[in-house]
Amino acid sequence: MKRMFHALLVALVIGCLPAALQAQQQVRKLPLSEFRDKMKGAWLGQMIGVGYGAPTEFKVTGAIIPDAQMPPWKPSMVNQHGNDDCYVEMTFLKTLDTYGLDCTARQAGIDFANSGYPLWHANKAGRENLRRGIAPPDSGHPQFSKHADDIDYQIEADFSGIIAPGLPNQVIALGEVFGRLMNYGDGLYGGQFVGGMYAAAYFESDIGKIIEAGLACIPAQSQYAEMVRDMLVWHKKNPADWEKTWQLVEDKYHKNAAYTHGLCGRPGGKGNGSIDAKLNGAYILMGLLYGNGDPEQTIRISCRCGQDSDCNPSNAAGVLFAAMGASKIPPRYLEELDAKAKFDNSDYDLPAVYDLSEKLARAAVLKAGGKIERQADGQEVFVIPVQTPVPSKPEKS
């Protein structure tokens, strides 16, 4: 009787705890071998997606790329070591390798300011601000940059989820350090959303649930979050017609001046380009939702949406292949992969990126209060606390 009373008392106490605290008391286990397979899939997916779409980048704007105009896949396309979708992340990884997960925005800003590769849009504006002495977060603030809502952190935030398996609050925190070097508001949230999807992909294969997990990482009242919710609703209404959903996106997130900006082109219509994070983020989701888990369809649909048609399939393929794992990537995508080539302006080749990603993920798990267990067979397992995401403050450029 005394034992039953004690159990009831414990249950009542736990029931009174805040939901976030209860969630922190739960854990999920991720074998190291599974982590490495998914982590490698994430990096390779980015390279495959951006390589596939590179010949079409901004060639078609405000219109769908005809299927017949899509370039065929060539095995050499995977080697994207000189693409900004990949090499900017190497700078961020180097900062984390040098200063750890608690690195400051100042340290990240100095490293980004000293980078030597070509940049465009928000990345370029942010780096120029840093070099002029405008420190983060002002370097990405709309007072100092007309590109605050651009796509840039979105295309390079993959690293934040790759090194934070099941840890959305680490993703959000990394966005506050690295995303604010060049972005603000929806431009920042796009990256935190993408990073949140990667973090969730370590434990989830259902694309809808992965998207919901990313959505939980950003302010619900933001226009970016509104776009994500729209995409989920529109896909449900038109599950077999992605081109109909594309037109809904075009009407609201490209033609409607309340949801886009004209800093890099006029809003709306054929021939009008847009680097806006929300519009291009919708095209990431178009591939993920309508690709139905098929790598080729995911990449092609995301690419055929037009605009920044290499960056968007890069994010889409990265998330999909993170959920699938590198071991399930169709071999034809990797036939000519040069794993020993170094990414521009870095000392990292793919094996070094894999090793550093594991090192940082270990640190992230421990920082979150988790642990790394060794099983009887010698295999290691990440024991990761369940986190309730706490998004950044809401703001609008």
Side-chain angles (χ1 to χ4, degrees), residues 68-84:
Q69 291 183 20
M70 283 292 294
W73 171 258
K74 298 177 182 178
S76 61
M77 287 177 167
V78 70
N79 294 309
Q80 294 294 317
H81 306 83
N83 194 299
D84 60 332

mmCIF file of all heavy atoms in Angstrom, residues 68-84:
data_model
loop_
_atom_site.group_PDB
_atom_site.id
_atom_site.type_symbol
_atom_site.label_atom_id
_atom_site.label_comp_id
_atom_site.label_asym_id
_atom_site.label_seq_id
_atom_site.Cartn_x
_atom_site.Cartn_y
_atom_site.Cartn_z
ATOM 1 N N ALA A 68 11.238 19.129 -70.084
ATOM 2 C CA ALA A 68 12.155 18.844 -71.199
ATOM 3 C C ALA A 68 13.421 19.686 -71.135
ATOM 4 O O ALA A 68 14.436 19.340 -71.753
ATOM 5 C CB ALA A 68 11.448 19.082 -72.531
ATOM 6 N N GLN A 69 13.379 20.811 -70.410
ATOM 7 C CA GLN A 69 14.550 21.679 -70.296
ATOM 8 C C GLN A 69 15.454 21.326 -69.113
ATOM 9 O O GLN A 69 16.501 21.949 -68.937
ATOM 10 C CB GLN A 69 14.104 23.138 -70.173
ATOM 11 C CG GLN A 69 13.477 23.705 -71.430
ATOM 12 C CD GLN A 69 13.124 25.176 -71.291
ATOM 13 O OE1 GLN A 69 13.646 25.894 -70.435
ATOM 14 N NE2 GLN A 69 12.220 25.647 -72.148
ATOM 15 N N MET A 70 15.041 20.334 -68.342
ATOM 16 C CA MET A 70 15.870 19.936 -67.205
ATOM 17 C C MET A 70 17.110 19.184 -67.702
ATOM 18 O O MET A 70 16.999 18.242 -68.481
ATOM 19 C CB MET A 70 15.079 19.048 -66.261
ATOM 20 C CG MET A 70 14.113 19.823 -65.384
ATOM 21 S SD MET A 70 14.979 20.856 -64.172
ATOM 22 C CE MET A 70 15.747 19.598 -63.153
ATOM 23 N N PRO A 71 18.297 19.606 -67.279
ATOM 24 C CA PRO A 71 19.511 18.915 -67.720
ATOM 25 C C PRO A 71 19.581 17.516 -67.130
ATOM 26 O O PRO A 71 19.146 17.300 -65.996
ATOM 27 C CB PRO A 71 20.632 19.802 -67.168
ATOM 28 C CG PRO A 71 20.023 20.486 -65.973
ATOM 29 C CD PRO A 71 18.582 20.707 -66.348
ATOM 30 N N PRO A 72 20.088 16.568 -67.882
ATOM 31 C CA PRO A 72 20.221 15.212 -67.338
ATOM 32 C C PRO A 72 21.315 15.174 -66.273
ATOM 33 O O PRO A 72 22.260 15.973 -66.304
ATOM 34 C CB PRO A 72 20.614 14.380 -68.563
ATOM 35 C CG PRO A 72 21.297 15.354 -69.468
ATOM 36 C CD PRO A 72 20.587 16.663 -69.261
ATOM 37 N N TRP A 73 21.191 14.265 -65.337
ATOM 38 C CA TRP A 73 22.210 14.108 -64.302
ATOM 39 C C TRP A 73 23.487 13.529 -64.903
ATOM 40 O O TRP A 73 23.456 12.554 -65.654
ATOM 41 C CB TRP A 73 21.725 13.185 -63.187
ATOM 42 C CG TRP A 73 22.814 12.827 -62.214
ATOM 43 C CD1 TRP A 73 23.517 11.665 -62.157
ATOM 44 C CD2 TRP A 73 23.355 13.665 -61.181
ATOM 45 N NE1 TRP A 73 24.450 11.715 -61.150
ATOM 46 C CE2 TRP A 73 24.366 12.936 -60.536
ATOM 47 C CE3 TRP A 73 23.069 14.970 -60.745
ATOM 48 C CZ2 TRP A 73 25.109 13.455 -59.473
ATOM 49 C CZ3 TRP A 73 23.796 15.484 -59.684
ATOM 50 C CH2 TRP A 73 24.799 14.735 -59.069
ATOM 51 N N LYS A 74 24.596 14.162 -64.574
ATOM 52 C CA LYS A 74 25.913 13.647 -64.935
ATOM 53 C C LYS A 74 26.667 13.367 -63.650
ATOM 54 O O LYS A 74 26.666 14.201 -62.736
ATOM 55 C CB LYS A 74 26.672 14.665 -65.790
ATOM 56 C CG LYS A 74 26.000 14.988 -67.114
ATOM 57 C CD LYS A 74 26.784 16.056 -67.875
ATOM 58 C CE LYS A 74 26.091 16.408 -69.186
ATOM 59 N NZ LYS A 74 26.816 17.491 -69.918
ATOM 60 N N PRO A 75 27.320 12.222 -63.528
ATOM 61 C CA PRO A 75 27.971 11.854 -62.272
ATOM 62 C C PRO A 75 28.960 12.889 -61.737
ATOM 63 O O PRO A 75 29.136 13.021 -60.529
ATOM 64 C CB PRO A 75 28.685 10.540 -62.619
ATOM 65 C CG PRO A 75 27.856 9.950 -63.710
ATOM 66 C CD PRO A 75 27.387 11.121 -64.520
ATOM 67 N N SER A 76 29.575 13.674 -62.630
ATOM 68 C CA SER A 76 30.544 14.677 -62.179
ATOM 69 C C SER A 76 29.878 15.839 -61.453
ATOM 70 O O SER A 76 30.547 16.606 -60.755
ATOM 71 C CB SER A 76 31.328 15.215 -63.376
ATOM 72 O OG SER A 76 30.453 15.833 -64.317
ATOM 73 N N MET A 77 28.555 15.979 -61.590
ATOM 74 C CA MET A 77 27.838 17.093 -60.971
ATOM 75 C C MET A 77 27.909 17.078 -59.449
ATOM 76 O O MET A 77 27.661 18.096 -58.799
ATOM 77 C CB MET A 77 26.361 17.076 -61.399
ATOM 78 C CG MET A 77 26.109 17.495 -62.831
ATOM 79 S SD MET A 77 24.332 17.348 -63.224
ATOM 80 C CE MET A 77 24.240 18.250 -64.767
ATOM 81 N N VAL A 78 28.220 15.942 -58.861
ATOM 82 C CA VAL A 78 28.231 15.833 -57.398
ATOM 83 C C VAL A 78 29.362 16.636 -56.766
ATOM 84 O O VAL A 78 29.275 17.049 -55.602
ATOM 85 C CB VAL A 78 28.328 14.352 -56.967
ATOM 86 C CG1 VAL A 78 29.709 13.777 -57.297
ATOM 87 C CG2 VAL A 78 28.034 14.196 -55.477
ATOM 88 N N ASN A 79 30.406 16.910 -57.514
ATOM 89 C CA ASN A 79 31.588 17.569 -56.943
ATOM 90 C C ASN A 79 31.402 19.091 -56.919
ATOM 91 O O ASN A 79 31.819 19.802 -57.823
ATOM 92 C CB ASN A 79 32.833 17.165 -57.741
ATOM 93 C CG ASN A 79 33.137 15.688 -57.594
ATOM 94 O OD1 ASN A 79 33.202 15.168 -56.474
ATOM 95 N ND2 ASN A 79 33.299 14.999 -58.714
ATOM 96 N N GLN A 80 30.804 19.549 -55.847
ATOM 97 C CA GLN A 80 30.441 20.960 -55.712
ATOM 98 C C GLN A 80 31.261 21.656 -54.627
ATOM 99 O O GLN A 80 30.742 22.465 -53.851
ATOM 100 C CB GLN A 80 28.945 21.075 -55.409
ATOM 101 C CG GLN A 80 28.061 20.617 -56.546
ATOM 102 C CD GLN A 80 28.197 21.517 -57.771
ATOM 103 O OE1 GLN A 80 28.238 22.744 -57.654
ATOM 104 N NE2 GLN A 80 28.275 20.913 -58.947
ATOM 105 N N HIS A 81 32.535 21.344 -54.574
ATOM 106 C CA HIS A 81 33.415 21.913 -53.544
ATOM 107 C C HIS A 81 33.622 23.416 -53.725
ATOM 108 O O HIS A 81 34.018 24.107 -52.792
ATOM 109 C CB HIS A 81 34.763 21.183 -53.571
ATOM 110 C CG HIS A 81 34.639 19.689 -53.453
ATOM 111 N ND1 HIS A 81 34.360 18.893 -54.541
ATOM 112 C CD2 HIS A 81 34.736 18.874 -52.385
ATOM 113 C CE1 HIS A 81 34.302 17.630 -54.147
ATOM 114 N NE2 HIS A 81 34.522 17.592 -52.855
ATOM 115 N N GLY A 82 33.331 23.918 -54.925
ATOM 116 C CA GLY A 82 33.499 25.339 -55.195
ATOM 117 C C GLY A 82 32.183 26.079 -55.270
ATOM 118 O O GLY A 82 32.110 27.143 -55.883
ATOM 119 N N ASN A 83 31.144 25.540 -54.647
ATOM 120 C CA ASN A 83 29.817 26.157 -54.676
ATOM 121 C C ASN A 83 29.519 26.801 -53.328
ATOM 122 O O ASN A 83 29.802 26.213 -52.274
ATOM 123 C CB ASN A 83 28.768 25.092 -55.002
ATOM 124 C CG ASN A 83 27.430 25.686 -55.394
ATOM 125 O OD1 ASN A 83 26.801 26.398 -54.614
ATOM 126 N ND2 ASN A 83 26.992 25.393 -56.613
ATOM 127 N N ASP A 84 28.918 28.004 -53.336
ATOM 128 C CA ASP A 84 28.686 28.707 -52.072
ATOM 129 C C ASP A 84 27.701 27.979 -51.164
ATOM 130 O O ASP A 84 27.695 28.185 -49.955
ATOM 131 C CB ASP A 84 28.211 30.143 -52.319
ATOM 132 C CG ASP A 84 26.915 30.236 -53.106
ATOM 133 O OD1 ASP A 84 26.631 29.333 -53.909
ATOM 134 O OD2 ASP A 84 26.191 31.231 -52.936
#
